[in-house]
Amino acid sequence: MNIFRELLELVNSEIEQLSEAGDLPSGLDVTGVLVEPPRDPAHGDMATNAAMVLAKRAGKPPRDIAALLAERIAAQDGVASVDVAGPGFINMRLEAAYWHSALARITASGARYGAFDMGRGKKVNVEFVSANPTGPLHIGHGRGTVFGDVLAALLERAGYAVTREYYVNDAGAQVDALARSVYLRYLEALGRELGADAFEDGYPGDYLVPVGVALAQEHGDKFADAPESEWFETFRSFAVESMLSLIRDDLDALGVRHDLFSSEKKLVDDGQVQATFADLKARDLIYEGVLDAPKGKPPPEDWEPRPQHLFRATQFGDEVDRPLKKSDGSWTYFATDIAYHRDKVRRGFDDMIDVWGADHAGYVKRMKAAVSAVSGDTAALDVKLCQMVKLTEGGKPVTMSKRSGQFVTLRDVVDKVGKDVVRFIMLTRKNDAPLEFDMARALEQSKDNPVFYVQYAHARIRSVLRRAEAEMPEVLGSDLAGNADLSVLTDAAEIDLIKCLCGWPRAVDSAVLSHEPHRLAFYLQELAAAFHLLWNKGNEDHGLRFIIPEDSRVTAARLILIGAVTQVIALGLGIFAVQPVEEMR
RNA sequence: GCGCCCGUAGCUCAGCUGGAUAGAGCACCAGACUACGAAUCUGGGGGUCGGGAGUUCGAAUCUUCCCGGGCGCGCCA
C-alpha cells in the first residue's frame, strides 16, 4: 500500500497507452517521472512532472503531452479533477472517497504498512560502533551506535538480509597501551605506589581498576617484577576481553545487539592480511615506492623518505597511493582494514555500509578504493559519517576530558534519560550535521522535546481509545475496520491527517534509499503535529471530537483514523526500537 | 598546499533520485481550555538559500571558481 507508487504506475500506464495510440513515440524511457505532493497544497493533492521529463524524449512540447495525459488521468476512478499548470505540471485532485479507501487499506495492512521488499533478501553488512576496546563508550559513540542499529533495522524492514557487525581493533598500539595501563592497575592492586604520570601514554580511567584487581586475584604477585614479555600477552587479552564486555554492556543498555564481532587480531593471526597483500601484489596493485612528506604542516621530526609497499589507491580514485606496512614491519591500520573488507566480500557481502566518526572522513576514498580493488569492482561500500555530539545540560556544555579519564560516558546518559530518549534524539539530526544533546531537555515534557511530542500524540490516542472502550463499547466491536463508514470523515483536518498517513511508505523508501534514518524521525514529528492539530480543532468545535456519544457511526470512523495514527507511530518507533507509551507519567 | 563535510529566517535545523510563490521549531507579538489529557493548538511579522558563473523548460539541490567554518593528511585506530 503506497499511493505514490500506485499513482506513478497509473501515470506510466497512461503514457504507454498514449504510445500505443500513436500519440507518443513507443518505448519511451520513463525514468525520472515522479508523482509527489505539490509543495503548495493549493495546486492539488498530487502532481506529476511526466510531461516535462518526456518532452525532449518524445520530441513534443511539455504542455501538449500534459494535455494528453491530463485527459486520460481525469477519467480515472478517485480522481476528482486534473489541470495543467506552469511549464507542464499535471496536478491532480483526488476525491474524498480515494482518501477514505486509502485509510481503510492502511488499517488493513497493519504492521506491514510501508514495508516494501526493495532488498529482495540481498545481503547487506552494516558495520558500526567498532570503537577501540580500550574503555567504555562515550556519547559520540552513542550516535553512531544508534544510527547504525536503526539503519540496519530500516534495511531489514525493506527486505534486506542485514548483518550487524562490530570490528574489534584488538591488534594495534592502542591495545598494547591498554595492556600496560592494566598492568599498572595490577601493581596498584598489589599495593604498589604508582608515579604521578604513570598513565601518561595510557588509559588513566577508573574503569581499569577492577581489571587490575581481578588480575591480582588470579595471578597474585607472579608478574609483579617480571619482564613485560612474560605478562604482556596475558594482560593484553584479558584487558581486551574486559573492555569488550564493558562495551557489550553499554550496547545492551541501548538495546543494541551485533550479529558478529570480528577481531582484527584474528584476521592477522589467520594470515588474511598476508593473503590480501599477496593477492593485490599478484595483480600489480602493490609496488615499492617513496611517498612525499605531507604538505601544509611541518613533517614529523623523524620523517625520512623511504621506499615502502604502496597500494595503488590512485587507480581507484584516491589522491595518493597508501602505505601498507609500518617501518617496524607490522601492518598499517589500512592494510588490516583492506583484509577485513576483503573478508566481508568473501563472506558474500557486495553491499557494505560502514558507520564512522566524522574524524575518519579522510579514509573514505582509500577504503572505497580498496573495496573496488579486492572485489574486482563488484562490491559497493557506503560510508556514513556521524558528526560530533555536543553534550549539554540546560544549554551549558558538559565538559569532557578523555585525558583525565573523567568523562561522561554513554552509559551515564542512558541511565539518566533512558534508552528510548537517547535513541530518538540521536536521530533528530542528519548524520553529517553536529548534534546538540541536552540532558535537561531530553527529560523535559514539552514540544521542545521531540520524543515527548511524538509519544504524547500516541498516548493521547490511547487515552481516547481507552475512554471509548469504557463509554461506547459497542463501537469497538470485533470488526471495527471492516464495518465502519469512513465517508463521514469530511473535515479538512481529518483528510489532511489521512494524507499525512499516506506519506509513511514514502518516508520509509526515501530513508532506505538515502541510508538516512533521521527522515523517519522528522516524519513522525509531522504526523504528531497533524494529529495534535486535529485534536485541538475538537476543543474548539466539539463536533470534531473523536468520541461523539450520540453518533457511533462518526465515532467509529474517527477511531479508525486515530488508530491508524498509533499504528504508524508504533511502526516508526518500532524501527527505532523505541517503545510507544500508553500514557505519559 | 591538498582532500572530505558544512554554510538556508535573530537562534537551532528540515528540504525527498533537480520541480511551481524555500519550510518547521525556538524566540517575539496576538489569541484558544467549566478539558475525548492546554505537556497542546491557531494567527502574525521575519529570507539575496554564503557570493559569482555555468548546465536546463526549471537549481537550495548538479558542475565550476571564490569567501567563511569544521575535520583529516606515512610508521594512531
Side-chain angles (χ1 to χ4, degrees):
Chain A
M1 161 61 195
N2 178 337
I3 64 166
F4 298 94
R5 204 171 282 138
E6 287 167 13
L7 290 169
L8 177 61
E9 279 164 20
L10 188 152
V11 168
N12 284 340
S13 103
E14 294 306 331
I15 291 169
E16 216 169 290
Q17 299 205 22
L18 283 172
S19 293
E20 279 171 29
D23 293 324
L24 288 176
S26 55
L28 272 179
D29 176 13
V30 293
T31 44
V33 173
L34 294 173
V35 172
E36 54 189 0
R39 187 146 53 197
D40 186 347
H43 291 131
D45 296 321
M46 287 292 165
T48 178
N49 61 353
M52 290 165 313
V53 172
L54 296 180
K56 197 168 279 176
R57 297 173 199 165
K60 272 187 175 230
R63 300 278 310 196
D64 292 1
I65 299 174
L68 288 168
L69 263 176
E71 193 186 340
R72 302 191 68 102
I73 293 169
Q76 298 292 320
D77 276 354
V79 178
S81 66
V82 177
D83 62 304
V84 176
F89 284 102
I90 300 169
N91 293 325
M92 307 165 225
R93 224 167 276 279
L94 301 170
E95 287 168 358
Y98 181 91
W99 298 113
H100 298 147
S101 129
L103 173 58
R105 291 157 62 210
I106 290 169
T107 304
S109 52
R112 292 182 357 269
Y113 181 46
F116 171 63
D117 191 15
M118 205 184 290
R120 297 165 191 239
K122 190 177 197 312
K123 287 176 73 171
V124 181
N125 185 289
V126 181
E127 183 212 321
F128 62 110
V129 193
S130 298
N132 291 338
T134 54
L137 300 178
H138 57 70
I139 190 74
H141 293 126
R143 187 172 187 187
T145 301
V146 172
F147 179 89
D149 191 45
V150 174
L151 177 57
L154 185 60
L155 292 170
E156 274 169 349
R157 189 173 168 77
Y160 290 89
V162 180
T163 296
R164 290 169 168 83
E165 190 153 333
Y166 187 125
Y167 182 51
V168 185
N169 294 117
D170 53 2
Q174 308 276 343
V175 289
D176 290 352
L178 176 77
R180 294 188 184 101
S181 293
V182 164
Y183 182 72
L184 292 171
R185 291 300 184 189
Y186 161 78
L187 294 179
E188 184 184 51
L190 293 173
R192 308 271 175 106
E193 284 291 319
L194 299 183
D197 53 359
F199 292 101
E200 198 169 353
D201 294 316
Y203 297 88
D206 292 343
Y207 56 86
L208 291 183
V209 172
V211 182
V213 169
L215 283 162
Q217 276 166 359
E218 194 181 331
H219 300 290
D221 61 1
K222 187 164 66 170
F223 296 124
D225 298 298
E228 184 174 293
S229 60
E230 278 176 32
W231 53 261
F232 190 78
E233 271 311 306
T234 305
F235 275 57
R236 195 193 50 75
S237 63
F238 187 84
V240 168
E241 273 314 308
S242 305
M243 293 304 100
L244 227 38
S245 129
L246 201 67
I247 288 169
R248 283 179 198 258
D249 285 350
D250 288 352
L251 293 173
D252 198 50
L254 253 187
V256 173
R257 200 175 190 89
H258 287 79
D259 299 305
L260 191 61
F261 283 71
S262 286
S263 157
E264 179 189 9
K265 184 167 189 304
K266 187 167 185 301
L267 211 62
V268 176
D269 292 350
D270 287 354
Q272 286 218 49
V273 189
Q274 188 61 55
T276 304
F277 187 87
D279 181 23
L280 292 174
K281 181 119 191 180
R283 293 163 57 202
D284 192 32
L285 293 174
I286 293 175
Y287 68 102
E288 291 216 26
V290 180
L291 281 181
D292 295 335
K295 289 171 181 160
K297 67 168 191 182
E301 314 85 61
D302 56 349
W303 172 269
E304 51 179 51
R306 65 177 180 86
Q308 48 187 341
H309 298 285
L310 299 174
F311 165 62
R312 294 191 193 276
T314 47
Q315 277 193 13
F316 303 92
D318 199 2
E319 277 79 35
V320 290
D321 294 333
R322 305 291 180 177
L324 300 174
K325 278 192 178 179
K326 303 176 192 169
S327 51
D328 67 0
S330 64
W331 301 110
T332 59
Y333 165 77
F334 182 51
T336 54
D337 224 2
I338 296 175
Y340 174 49
H341 284 79
R342 175 171 171 272
D343 181 55
K344 289 196 223 179
V345 171
R346 290 160 73 94
R347 280 187 274 136
F349 295 105
D350 49 16
D351 225 338
M352 291 171 270
I353 301 173
D354 286 3
V355 180
W356 295 351
D359 53 341
H360 290 60
Y363 287 81
V364 174
K365 274 195 182 174
R366 77 187 67 170
M367 206 61 249
K368 287 189 172 180
V371 166
S372 293
V374 298
S375 73
D377 271 322
T378 59
L381 170 69
D382 185 17
V383 180
K384 304 301 285 184
L385 300 174
C386 288
Q387 268 292 350
M388 319 220 46
V389 176
K390 273 183 290 181
L391 194 62
T392 58
E393 170 88 55
K396 288 178 188 158
V398 175
T399 51
M400 281 189 280
S401 162
K402 201 166 182 177
R403 187 163 208 83
S404 70
Q406 301 299 316
F407 54 91
V408 180
T409 63
L410 174 61
R411 191 55 180 275
D412 292 338
V413 179
V414 172
D415 288 347
K416 187 164 180 199
V417 307
K419 81 172 170 67
D420 285 3
V421 170
V422 172
R423 292 185 68 108
F424 195 99
I425 289 182
M426 287 299 184
L427 296 167
T428 54
R429 286 283 178 274
K430 198 161 49 178
N431 58 288
D432 55 12
L435 171 80
E436 183 181 333
F437 190 111
D438 194 288
M439 295 212 273
R441 200 178 55 203
L443 290 169
E444 198 175 288
Q445 304 214 330
S446 77
K447 74 172 304 190
D448 293 355
N449 180 351
V451 198
F452 170 80
Y453 187 72
V454 172
Q455 290 281 27
Y456 183 42
H458 188 272
R460 266 182 154 176
I461 295 171
R462 296 302 304 165
S463 166
V464 173
L465 294 176
R466 281 193 298 272
R467 193 176 180 112
E469 196 161 14
E471 293 177 7
M472 301 177 71
E474 73 283 1
V475 175
L476 285 165
S478 58
D479 196 15
L480 177 64
N483 295 329
D485 175 9
L486 298 176
S487 68
V488 296
L489 301 174
T490 52
D491 191 83
E494 290 174 328
I495 300 294
D496 282 349
L497 188 51
I498 296 174
K499 289 178 185 173
C500 192
L501 288 166
C502 285
W504 167 246
R506 191 176 147 81
V508 175
D509 285 359
S510 82
V512 170
L513 286 170
S514 59
H515 295 166
E516 290 185 352
H518 78 276
R519 292 182 190 205
L520 297 187
F522 282 89
Y523 169 82
L524 290 178
Q525 292 180 75
E526 266 176 46
L527 177 61
F531 165 74
H532 286 308
L533 186 157
L534 181 58
W535 177 291
N536 272 78
K537 282 190 86 169
N539 271 343
E540 285 155 26
D541 174 0
H542 287 210
L544 277 176
R545 292 189 171 203
F546 303 118
I547 297 176
I548 309 290
E550 61 280 8
D551 193 339
S552 58
R553 215 166 126 247
V554 167
T555 304
R558 289 188 179 153
L559 294 186
I560 285 176
L561 173 60
I562 61 176
V565 175
T566 55
Q567 175 194 341
V568 172
I569 290 178
L571 282 171
L573 293 181
I575 292 172
F576 291 0
V578 169
Q579 186 67 39
V581 299
E582 293 295 309
E583 54 187 359
M584 309 306 296
R585 286 153 280 135

